[in-house]
Amino acid sequence: MKRRGFLQQSAWLLAATTAGGMGLVSRDPRLREVLAAPTVRKRALLIGINRYPESTGSDLSGAVTDVRLQEQVLQHRFGFAAKDILSLTDEQASRSQTLEAFNDHFSEVTANDVVWLHFSGYGSQVQPSPNSEAVEPSLVMADGLDLPLTTLWLLLRSLPTDKIITVLDTSYTYPGHPLLGNLRVRSRPSPTVVQLDDAQRQRQTQLQEQLRRANKPGLKRDGPGWVLSAATRQQVATESQWQGFSSGLFTYALSQQLWWLSPEASLTNLLTRTDQLVEAFAGGEQTPNICRGGIDQCAISGELPPPLVPQLAALGADGVILAKNPGNDPFKLWLGGLPVTVLNRYGVGSLFSVLPEPGTPPQTDVKLQLRSRSGLTATAQLWNGPDRQATDAESMVSGRLLRESVRILPRTLPLTVALDSRLERIERVDATSAFSGIRDVTSVSAGEQPADCVFGRVRRATIAQTYSSDLVQLPKDQGTYGLFSVGRELIPNSIGEEDEAIKKSVQRLVPQLQALLAAKWLTLTLNEGASRLGVRGTLSVLDPDESVVLQRQTRRARRAKGVRPLAGVEGTLDIPAGSQVQYNLENLGDRPVYYLMFGLDSSGRAVGFYPYETVADGNPPTLQQPPLNPGESVTLPWTEAETWSVGRPIGTVSMKLICCDRPFGQALTLLASRQNSPRNPRSLTPLESPLRVAKAIMEDLHRASLRKTDADAFPDDVYALDMEVWTTLNFIYRVV
């Protein structure tokens, strides 16, 4: 299924999980009747396996975290009762124990109930018959035994309900290497195919006979309900290490977007962003899939009810209070709603607003301040800021939802380069030595720690796929050195010469490393789901046959009346090289905003767009930013007759549209002083010092935030960014 199909299929299945307690708007009378039934319950079986027998291969590290991510979001955002969520991790999830738990946990399911089943771990393939070369996908359980998906589908079909959601964060075909760049593959390394054992063959026969006796139309070998897969059947699913924890790429992206779920954004659009987050790390090697009845039948069905919008009590959240304990830091928090790239550097001192309990009137804004953080959990205390009134701490109970208020980020940030595991030992030694001499850059072995990019050999075939042969001279088969994304997609302008020494390669890569570090800084400002600044950004592809738009919009802002709902695509677009594009920015709020753009083009080069007016001559000249007033919009470039051309090479483009309610004074001054030649104020400009520009933008956002926040409340060695004053919208597309 193509990425757009993944998004269109998403609405019904998530709407079903909100039934019974959260309310829905639906035009499907059958679904309304089901949701009105007083006995609807939601039950979940969550399976996560990190530890496997030695014969299976190396252990995973993120599958158990996936279970915790699902537990929290199902309980606190979708109304699953804790007693109705059963989690099996590691040795608890042997094949026999899992099958027994399935039968026990779902024994009282009725026709109206919702069933959610999640699996994170290794996948593989089984051969149903020794006389055939045909294979079927399977889940590898904690004892190393395979549970064929055919068996799972028969078990699910034996349940009296068809309101079933199955989430599979696994893959079935081993690519011959355990790593995809710095991401670990969730396909079993050994054996890659096993024979279907007699026990499973007998169980399948028994289940088929039970379905036949029950006169259920369940003899098909596919599954009921909906299946959310981390990747298509022939692709790989991956997991990644973050700061303090690991998780499946798909499960974290899905869970985080479910935390942001709000009535004003369609479920389809929200799940589009799940796909975009996976794309940002794994590129085209992992495409999430939503299928009806198994993992192969992924065509969009005309029988689906229309997209449903949940009427949630809270308009999205970033975390929840897990517990209240005695002591100076009494509150234990779960922060699974934060973007993982932000969570990696999330600082002590950050502030969260506590949302009122459902059904209660708005209260005085009560804030909690982070005192410590370990991975996804944190401790906090009531904030004694200048505007805080006396608060009854007893009202801060577990289950209260949280929203970001002030984000604390460090003023120092390294770029971590993973050394590709395919490099020879002597190459890794030389590369480690070379990278150690570059400021703000560290190196690690791939797969062992979190990283921002990968250093490795660039083979002839990889370059040929990225460039036309008439645009670049192809090296010999042994290749050259260059940089890749963490999902091992080539960063094109990092390619070196043939027979280049590693030390020379690393020195040559310093400008690219600085551009990547600058982009990392500004990635920490992404806050589309948390910002209170009302803006909408649109990327339009101006094609003679079809105009496609990619839209981003803040979701928690105070907006002017009459603002139309979000329209267009919200995922990742494929845009042919040579296409013409425009951006449009709308001020939907009640304050003037100032804006600029920063990004990496498909070659990995840092580019920017910063509108200005020259108000005085001098060296450097004095620049002034024109504001975008409430209700106004602007086209970038500045007239509808102008466009920007999408250039080669093939690759990913990431452009950040950064808006603030105060001018970008430091950034503009720096840009003016570093510009060696006159520029067209309507053009995307290559940035000579992207790292300095990024830090100047951070300082501008910090200073704008201090107007809203007590400057003495935070130490001098951090950036304190207030959600009231800025937003960063991220546009990602692939040049094809």
Side-chain angles (χ1 to χ4, degrees):
M1 174 189 285
K2 294 183 179 179
R3 281 191 140 88
R4 193 171 299 183
F6 167 75
L7 312 167
Q8 293 172 333
Q9 295 280 25
S10 309
W12 178 86
L13 63 97
L14 287 179
T17 67
T18 63
M22 291 195 178
L24 288 168
V25 175
S26 173
R27 289 173 285 175
D28 188 298
R30 295 168 299 172
L31 189 54
R32 283 203 304 267
E33 183 178 345
V34 168
L35 301 184
T39 58
V40 172
R41 289 177 65 182
K42 298 181 284 287
R43 303 168 189 262
L45 175 60
L46 312 177
I47 304 164
I49 306 170
N50 284 339
R51 296 200 295 270
Y52 281 94
E54 289 186 9
S55 58
T56 301
S58 59
D59 289 342
L60 297 174
S61 58
V64 173
T65 303
D66 289 356
V67 168
R68 305 301 175 226
L69 287 164
Q70 292 273 284
E71 284 175 347
Q72 298 300 331
V73 76
L74 291 179
Q75 183 176 347
H76 297 293
R77 293 294 285 142
F78 286 89
F80 280 67
K83 63 183 178 61
D84 290 330
I85 300 176
L86 175 62
S87 298
L88 303 178
T89 58
D90 289 336
E91 64 274 4
Q92 298 172 334
S94 68
R95 189 170 72 180
S96 61
Q97 288 173 298
T98 300
L99 294 173
E100 182 179 354
F102 183 99
N103 292 329
D104 291 344
H105 191 57
F106 296 134
S107 62
E108 298 179 358
V109 166
T110 68
N112 289 335
D113 289 350
V114 172
V115 168
W116 185 290
L117 188 145
H118 178 102
F119 176 84
S120 285
Y122 276 133
S124 191
Q125 299 180 103
V126 296
Q127 196 170 359
S129 170
N131 301 321
S132 171
E133 295 183 357
V135 293
E136 295 182 359
S138 62
L139 310 178
V140 184
M141 309 312 294
D143 49 7
L145 298 178
D146 287 61
L147 178 64
L149 286 189
T150 297
T151 302
L152 180 61
W153 302 153
L154 290 169
L155 285 167
L156 291 170
R157 284 195 174 277
S158 70
L159 299 177
T161 181
D162 61 357
K163 300 166 188 62
I164 299 171
I165 299 95
T166 305
V167 182
L168 300 176
D169 199 342
T170 188
S171 51
Y172 314 102
T173 303
Y174 184 64
H177 198 275
L179 296 178
L180 177 68
N182 201 51
L183 306 175
R184 186 161 297 279
V185 173
R186 284 187 169 178
S187 303
R188 179 174 58 191
S190 177
T192 57
V193 179
V194 298
Q195 289 286 337
L196 180 65
D197 58 90
D198 291 338
Q200 283 306 295
R201 190 174 289 109
Q202 293 173 6
R203 179 174 287 274
Q204 290 179 10
T205 301
Q206 293 170 356
L207 289 169
Q208 289 172 342
E209 181 60 30
Q210 290 175 14
L211 291 171
R212 186 179 292 108
R213 288 199 302 266
N215 196 28
K216 294 190 66 172
L219 300 182
K220 296 184 295 183
R221 299 177 70 84
D222 52 9
W226 294 83
V227 180
L228 287 75
S229 296
T232 63
R233 181 169 174 177
Q234 301 305 321
Q235 291 181 320
V236 294
T238 60
E239 65 176 30
S240 179
Q241 297 184 69
W242 315 107
Q243 293 292 337
F245 69 100
S246 298
S247 71
L249 202 55
F250 173 66
T251 298
Y252 193 97
L254 175 65
S255 300
Q256 190 255 318
Q257 289 302 312
L258 295 181
W259 276 101
W260 281 4
L261 202 61
S262 65
E264 60 188 26
S266 74
L267 292 165
T268 299
N269 287 336
L270 285 173
L271 283 188
T272 307
R273 299 187 184 100
T274 300
D275 176 62
Q276 181 198 352
L277 292 171
V278 173
E279 163 91 4
F281 289 95
E285 298 297 322
Q286 180 177 347
T287 305
N289 225 2
I290 291 185
C291 303
R292 184 72 185 266
I295 61 172
D296 297 314
Q297 300 182 24
C298 302
I300 299 174
S301 170
E303 299 178 357
L304 288 179
L308 306 174
V309 180
Q311 301 301 301
L312 302 179
L315 306 182
D318 302 309
V320 66
I321 299 176
L322 291 179
K324 182 183 176 185
N325 303 309
N328 294 329
D329 304 324
F331 300 102
K332 182 179 180 181
L333 311 182
W334 178 263
L335 304 180
L338 293 176
V340 71
T341 50
V342 173
L343 184 62
N344 276 341
R345 294 292 168 179
Y346 211 73
V348 170
S350 297
L351 299 181
F352 287 86
S353 295
V354 182
L355 297 182
E357 294 188 84
T360 62
Q363 304 170 351
T364 302
D365 190 20
V366 178
K367 290 185 172 64
L368 297 180
Q369 185 171 41
L370 253 61
R371 299 288 293 169
S372 66
R373 183 182 66 83
S374 176
L376 288 155
T377 60
T379 63
Q381 64 180 12
L382 283 171
W383 185 53
N384 57 352
D387 299 325
R388 190 182 71 81
Q389 299 179 3
T391 302
D392 183 5
E394 297 300 323
S395 65
M396 300 295 103
V397 296
S398 61
R400 293 287 292 273
L401 298 177
L402 306 171
R403 282 187 179 174
E404 261 196 291
S405 179
V406 176
R407 182 180 297 176
I408 300 297
L409 299 170
R411 284 183 176 263
T412 58
L413 184 69
L415 184 81
T416 303
V417 181
L419 305 182
D420 193 355
S421 57
R422 295 177 177 87
L423 292 173
E424 300 291 340
R425 181 179 179 277
I426 186 61
E427 291 177 305
R428 292 197 296 271
V429 170
D430 289 347
T432 299
S433 175
F435 281 115
S436 67
I438 303 176
R439 183 178 179 181
D440 296 328
V441 175
T442 61
S443 62
V444 298
S445 296
E448 294 184 1
Q449 296 183 45
D452 304 299
C453 60
V454 176
F455 174 80
R457 280 194 173 273
V458 185
R459 301 295 179 182
R460 179 185 179 95
T462 303
I463 300 176
Q465 292 171 1
T466 305
Y467 289 95
S468 297
S469 58
D470 58 342
L471 296 179
V472 64
Q473 182 177 357
L474 299 180
K476 299 175 183 177
D477 288 342
Q478 66 266 29
T480 180
Y481 296 108
L483 294 174
F484 300 82
S485 70
V486 291
R488 217 175 188 283
E489 282 204 336
L490 177 64
I491 299 174
N493 72 345
S494 68
I495 301 171
E497 300 175 354
E498 292 183 38
D499 302 322
E500 187 179 47
I502 282 186
K503 183 176 181 180
K504 182 179 178 181
S505 292
V506 172
Q507 291 173 342
R508 172 181 54 79
L509 290 172
V510 169
Q512 285 77 24
L513 295 170
Q514 290 183 339
L516 290 171
L517 182 54
K520 181 178 180 179
W521 269 112
L522 296 182
T523 296
L524 295 179
T525 70
L526 294 177
N527 68 339
E528 176 184 338
S531 174
R532 317 295 198 269
L533 200 65
V535 295
R536 172 190 287 153
T538 303
L539 167 62
S540 299
V541 184
L542 306 180
D543 186 281
D545 300 322
E546 179 185 10
S547 180
V548 181
V549 296
L550 180 67
Q551 289 199 325
R552 297 285 179 267
Q553 178 176 304
T554 53
R555 283 170 265 174
R556 298 180 190 168
R558 296 184 296 272
R559 295 194 179 92
K561 294 182 179 180
V563 173
R564 68 184 186 279
L566 191 66
V569 180
E570 290 192 77
T572 302
L573 288 179
D574 290 340
I575 301 180
S579 299
Q580 302 300 307
V581 300
Q582 285 181 337
Y583 290 85
N584 182 269
L585 176 63
E586 301 171 75
N587 185 348
L588 309 179
D590 54 5
R591 291 166 282 167
V593 298
Y594 302 83
Y595 60 92
L596 51 77
M597 297 183 72
F598 180 100
L600 300 180
D601 64 16
S602 61
S603 72
R605 179 184 58 172
V607 295
F609 176 76
Y610 40 101
Y612 64 81
E613 297 171 350
T614 304
V615 296
D617 294 331
N619 188 19
T622 301
L623 304 182
Q624 177 176 294
Q625 281 194 293
L628 184 65
N629 293 312
E632 293 182 346
S633 64
V634 62
T635 298
L636 311 176
W638 280 348
T639 68
E640 293 186 3
E642 295 177 296
T643 60
W644 286 322
S645 180
V646 176
R648 288 187 179 273
I650 293 171
T652 300
V653 176
S654 175
M655 293 297 299
K656 294 174 176 60
L657 181 55
I658 308 169
C659 304
C660 185
D661 66 357
R662 285 293 183 272
F664 291 90
Q666 290 209 13
L668 270 190
T669 300
L670 175 63
L671 288 165
S673 66
R674 301 295 295 182
Q675 194 64 42
N676 293 330
S677 59
R679 64 175 283 269
N680 181 349
R682 294 178 172 84
S683 67
L684 275 173
T685 304
L687 299 178
E688 299 172 2
S689 304
L691 187 54
R692 293 188 62 190
V693 172
K695 290 184 177 181
I697 293 172
M698 297 292 294
E699 187 64 33
D700 284 331
L701 298 180
H702 172 70
R703 293 188 179 189
S705 298
L706 293 184
R707 301 170 12 253
K708 299 281 186 177
T709 307
D710 182 8
D712 296 329
F714 306 103
D716 295 333
D717 59 347
V718 300
Y719 294 113
L721 307 185
D722 194 312
M723 295 296 152
E724 294 282 346
V725 306
W726 108 96
T727 188
T728 300
L729 305 178
N730 199 24
F731 293 86
I732 297 178
Y733 62 89
R734 296 178 60 82
V735 179
V736 296

